[in-house]
């Protein structure tokens, strides 16, 4: 029986880059085949060829033993190939049904959209594969994990047998990732085949049947989870031994560089997202903010960096009140910001790398004289930073949009840490990055900390928080529920705090305390009611027996 998919000798060139270099790959029915590699290794390019978004310069594609001509996504879909992209292709104001139908509309007599039939089919697919999606929900109201389930339903609605999942866990919480893996197993049990593109080693070892590693456009090896471990896979990806642990010396603490007092910040809906938060970051330490995404971290960071107005409270940077300061003033005082969303808040994607490397200092000497930018100086400094920070780009004039996610992140880190700073606010600094890039950025953050800089690290990756932090503050529903030393802290304890479960003897947040009080009252009422019922039923029972 032939493989459901076979790629032979696939080669793709871009100006200055050999993205895919004679790649061979097979996928068997009911298999999860993990495609592993660094950011920019060529994984997504290869899958874009399979999905018809790119055309190969050389090579052939076979589906179920038959040679396939794929010139567009429509061709791919007709051949049973579907792809869930890293950045979802959904329309927020549309319902689940409308998004799933788009491009594959069901019509009634007279050409009217048959939403009812489409919704019914979505329910059937959802129940069959355990996807738990309501066809009538609007996309804007769904969490990220729910949106991803909609993307998978779109493929199944179009009867795809080969599913390509591109970095599917990059924006998921650990709980959402576990749910996705359950869904993936459900799909393969029903005969679907999955190509799982990722850079997360632990996930690959947990979920994959086979693993193929690509490095700089070439297949460097294939293995199975039984034959591999994280260190071996990391070395295959990067081409050298990778130290997966973080080494740091004892913190040498200085004065507080950031002081936050009773801070309250509203979200986009006007609801309180940060509710009376207080903490300080000292020079020479990493304070980690741990929490499940969506508990106020985004609004907190935006308030600290001048991107969002505060509702109440105060923020002081180096003894200056910056509560209502704009981002430029905060930057000039010595604050660096590595944003949560690198593409939205960290880069101008259609600007060259050189310009992105001076976005926060372009108006200062030596990059500007009066109102005239000094392009030669900007390009010269950019080349130095590209070399120093190992940014892989064909040139400094290449647009930032052309870089891989890891190299886009390195551009931001290079820009923020190439000037004297006293505070680094790093939000999800390694989201979507491979082990080599993670190792590099962790090293830069610890280097900043050891030079006397205060680092505020906000991350939904618990391992990252525990490895880098000197102290850990846990945020739940907009409140800091506890602050504890990283040394000796356990994942179990922090995990419980992240879920709002406060240990005995610790002070609960008002919301948690209120909830607990309400539950206690409810329980007391039930007990009282049960006792009353017991008193009234016992005489009745005796009379019946008599």
């Amino acid at each position: 029986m032939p493989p459901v998919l076979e790629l032979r000798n696939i080669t793709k060139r871009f100006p200055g880059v050999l993205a895919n270099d004679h790649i061979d790959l097979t996928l068997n029915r009911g298999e999860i085949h993990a495609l592993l590699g660094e950011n920019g290794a060529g994984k997504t390019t290869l899958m874009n060829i399979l999905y018809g978004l790119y055309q190969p310069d050389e090579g052939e594609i076979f589906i179920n033993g038959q040679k396939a001509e794929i010139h567009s996504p429509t061709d791919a879909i007709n051949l049973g190939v579907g792809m869930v992209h890293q950045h979802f292709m959904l329309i927020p104001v549309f319902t689940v049904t409308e998004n799933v139908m788009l491009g594959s509309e069901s019509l009634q007599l007279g050409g009217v959209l048959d939403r009812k039939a489409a919704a019914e089919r979505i329910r059937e697919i959802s129940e069959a594969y355990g996807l738990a999606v309501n066809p009538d929900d609007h996309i804007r109201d769904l969490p990220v994990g729910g949106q991803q389930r909609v993307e998978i339903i779109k493929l199944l609605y179009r009867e795809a047998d080969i599913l390509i999942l591109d970095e599917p866990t990059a924006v998921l919480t650990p709980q959402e990732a576990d749910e996705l893996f359950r869904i993936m197993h459900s799909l393969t049990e029903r005969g679907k085949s999955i190509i799982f593109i990722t850079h997360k080693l632990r996930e690959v070892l947990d979920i994959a049947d086979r693993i193929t590693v690509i490095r700089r456009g070439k297949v460097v090896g294939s293995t199975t989870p039984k034959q591999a471990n994280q260190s071996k896979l990391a070395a295959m990806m990067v081409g050298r031994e990778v130290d997966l642990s973080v080494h740091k010396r004892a913190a040498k603490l200085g004065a507080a560089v950031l002081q936050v007092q009773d801070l309250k910040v509203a979200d986009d809906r006007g609801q309180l997202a940060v509710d009376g938060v207080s903490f300080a970051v000292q020079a020479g330490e990493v304070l980690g903010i741990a929490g499940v995404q969506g508990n106020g971290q985004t609004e907190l960071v935006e308030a600290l960096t001048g991107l969002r107005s505060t509702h109440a409270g105060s923020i002081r940077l180096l003894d200056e009140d910056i509560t209502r300061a704009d981002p430029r003033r905060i930057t000039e005082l010595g604050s660096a910001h590595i944003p949560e969303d690198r593409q939205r808040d960290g880069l101008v994607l259609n600007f060259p790398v050189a310009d992105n490397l001076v976005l926060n200092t372009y108006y200062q000497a030596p990059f500007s004289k009066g109102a005239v930018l000094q392009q030669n100086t900007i390009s010269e400094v950019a080349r130095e930073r590209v070399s120093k920070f190992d940014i892989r780009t064909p040139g400094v004039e290449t647009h930032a949009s052309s870089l891989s996610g890891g190299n886009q992140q390195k551009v931001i880190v290079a820009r923020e840490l190439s000037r004297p700073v006293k505070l680094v606010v790093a939000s999800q600094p390694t989201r979507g990055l491979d082990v080599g890039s993670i190792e590099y950025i962790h090293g830069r953050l610890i280097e900043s900390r050891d030079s006397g800089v205060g680092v505020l690290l906000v991350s939904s990756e618990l391992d990252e928080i525990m490895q880098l932090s000197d102290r850990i503050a846990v945020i739940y529903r907009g409140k800091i529920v506890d602050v504890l030393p990283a040394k000796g802290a356990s994942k179990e304890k922090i995990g419980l705090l992240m879920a709002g479960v406060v240990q005995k003897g610790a002070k609960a947040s008002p919301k948690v305390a209120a909830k607990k009080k309400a539950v206690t009252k409810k329980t007391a009422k039930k007990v009282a009611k049960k006792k009353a019922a017991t008193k009234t039923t016992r005489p009745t029972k005796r009379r019946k027996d008599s």
Side-chain angles (χ1 to χ4, degrees):
M1 187 175 181
V4 295
L5 172 68
E6 188 175 3
L7 305 180
R8 298 181 187 174
N9 202 38
I10 298 295
T11 302
K12 182 64 179 178
R13 301 176 182 86
F14 296 105
V17 178
L18 181 55
N20 292 152
D21 188 0
H22 299 89
I23 289 179
D24 294 328
L25 184 76
T26 60
L27 177 68
N28 298 316
R29 186 170 302 282
E31 178 183 48
I32 298 174
H33 191 151
L35 196 56
L36 191 63
E38 289 184 280
N39 298 111
K43 309 182 300 294
T44 300
T45 298
L46 184 66
M47 292 302 101
N48 282 338
I49 288 172
L50 174 58
Y51 193 56
L53 292 170
Y54 294 154
Q55 300 305 306
D57 298 319
E58 300 175 36
E60 298 173 314
I61 299 171
F62 290 82
I63 294 178
N64 294 316
Q66 301 295 315
K67 186 175 179 180
E69 297 292 338
I70 303 177
H71 301 290
S72 69
T74 301
D75 291 339
I77 291 167
N78 290 337
L79 289 165
V81 178
M83 184 170 181
V84 177
H85 300 268
Q86 184 175 352
H87 301 287
F88 301 152
M89 305 294 184
L90 299 170
I91 299 175
V93 297
F94 280 13
T95 65
V96 170
T97 299
E98 289 165 343
N99 270 278
V100 172
M101 289 177 71
L102 196 60
S104 186
E105 291 84 357
S106 299
L107 300 177
Q108 295 175 325
L109 290 174
V112 178
L113 289 176
D114 193 349
R115 288 182 173 84
K116 185 177 180 180
E120 184 58 34
R121 189 170 169 209
I122 289 168
R123 287 191 183 92
E124 291 172 0
I125 294 170
S126 177
E127 290 173 7
Y129 293 94
L131 288 163
V133 169
N134 182 351
D136 300 323
D137 284 346
H138 284 84
I139 296 299
R140 65 190 173 202
D141 297 327
L142 296 179
V144 174
Q147 293 181 33
Q148 190 168 67
R149 290 195 292 273
V150 175
E151 288 281 19
I152 293 172
I153 285 176
K154 280 172 61 179
L155 306 190
L156 299 175
Y157 187 88
R158 290 160 175 77
E159 300 182 346
D161 290 318
I162 299 169
L163 284 70
I164 306 165
L165 306 183
D166 188 3
E167 301 284 3
T169 64
V171 293
L172 299 185
T173 66
Q175 294 85 354
E176 288 172 330
D178 290 341
E179 176 64 13
L180 173 65
F181 296 154
R182 183 197 63 75
I183 291 167
M184 290 169 65
H185 281 306
S186 174
L187 290 166
T188 55
E189 285 169 3
R190 291 172 173 268
K192 306 296 183 182
S193 305
I194 298 173
I195 297 178
F196 176 46
I197 306 175
T198 188
H199 61 273
K200 296 185 178 181
L201 305 179
R202 185 176 299 170
E203 292 179 355
V204 165
L205 294 172
D206 286 345
I207 194 70
D209 297 305
R210 278 194 301 146
I211 305 162
T212 293
V213 181
I214 296 179
R215 185 170 72 241
R216 299 200 175 187
K218 287 186 177 182
V219 172
V220 295
S222 293
T223 186
T224 66
K226 289 183 179 180
Q227 299 170 326
N229 56 38
Q230 290 192 50
S231 297
K232 179 180 177 180
L233 293 176
M236 290 173 70
M237 285 172 63
V238 182
R240 59 176 173 81
E241 293 297 321
V242 177
D243 193 347
L244 299 174
S245 58
V246 174
H247 302 283
K248 63 184 188 221
R249 64 193 186 201
K252 293 183 178 180
L253 301 179
V257 293
L258 176 69
Q259 298 174 74
V260 178
Q261 189 67 36
D262 296 325
L263 189 66
K264 295 186 178 183
V265 185
D267 61 18
D268 293 338
R269 300 171 298 172
Q271 303 296 316
L272 211 56
V274 178
D275 190 3
V277 163
S278 298
F279 64 86
V281 180
Q282 294 176 260
E285 78 161 340
V286 177
L287 174 65
I289 304 287
V292 176
Q293 189 70 14
N295 277 277
Q297 300 98 315
T298 298
E299 291 81 5
L300 173 63
V301 169
E302 289 177 349
L304 297 178
T305 54
L307 296 173
R308 182 178 290 269
S309 299
T310 60
H311 181 71
S314 65
I315 308 168
R316 300 189 69 84
L317 176 61
L318 300 173
D319 290 327
E320 180 167 331
D321 191 336
I322 61 165
T323 309
R324 291 173 178 80
D326 60 42
R328 176 173 286 189
R329 178 58 184 156
I330 294 170
T331 298
E332 290 175 341
L333 283 171
S335 177
H337 179 207
I338 301 171
E340 175 184 327
D341 189 329
R342 55 179 167 262
Q343 294 192 349
R344 186 188 68 185
D345 299 323
L347 300 164
V348 180
L349 293 173
N350 60 350
F351 276 18
V353 168
D355 291 348
N356 274 283
L357 283 166
V358 296
L359 279 181
N360 51 8
T361 51
Y362 70 90
Y363 60 94
Q364 299 173 343
F367 307 123
S368 180
K369 287 185 179 179
V372 180
L373 290 176
Q374 304 301 299
Q375 285 298 156
N376 289 339
T377 303
I378 291 172
S379 296
E380 182 181 342
V381 170
R383 283 189 285 270
E384 292 173 3
R385 292 179 181 179
V386 163
S387 176
K388 180 180 178 181
F389 286 82
D390 189 32
I391 301 168
R392 296 179 187 176
T393 173
V396 297
E397 297 307 317
T398 299
H399 284 192
S401 59
S402 300
L403 302 186
S404 67
N407 286 299
Q408 288 179 350
Q409 193 78 343
K410 286 182 181 180
V411 170
I412 295 169
V413 172
R415 180 184 69 227
E416 297 300 313
L417 302 187
S418 290
R419 57 190 176 86
V421 296
K422 295 297 183 181
L423 172 71
V424 175
V425 179
S427 183
Q428 315 295 344
T430 60
R431 174 177 283 171
L433 302 189
D434 59 66
V435 288
S437 297
I438 290 171
E439 177 194 42
Y440 179 85
I441 288 173
H442 283 177
R444 290 291 179 177
L445 292 175
I446 293 300
E447 185 181 285
S448 295
R449 170 247 202 201
D450 291 345
S451 68
V453 173
V455 178
L456 179 67
L457 171 66
V458 180
S459 177
S460 55
E461 295 282 352
L462 190 50
D463 287 339
E464 181 168 67
I465 288 284
M466 296 187 72
Q467 285 184 316
L468 293 180
S469 302
D470 299 296
R471 291 186 299 137
I472 299 172
V474 183
I475 191 168
Y476 175 73
R477 293 187 178 178
K479 291 182 177 292
I480 300 294
V481 295
D482 204 354
V483 180
L484 56 159
K487 190 174 181 180
S490 69
K491 282 188 178 181
E492 290 75 17
K493 181 176 182 179
I494 297 173
L496 286 171
L497 290 168
M498 288 168 63
V501 180
V502 180
Q503 302 294 313
K504 188 176 180 181
K507 185 178 180 182
S509 69
K511 284 185 180 178
V512 175
K515 185 176 180 181
K516 186 176 180 181
K517 188 176 181 181
V519 170
T520 304
K521 283 184 177 179
K522 189 175 181 181
T523 304
K525 285 181 179 179
K526 283 184 177 179
V527 171
K529 189 176 181 181
K530 187 175 181 181
K531 283 183 177 178
T534 302
K535 287 180 180 178
T536 57
T537 54
R538 279 178 179 170
T540 304
K541 188 175 180 182
R542 283 198 296 270
R543 282 195 299 270
K544 185 177 180 181
D545 292 342
S546 61

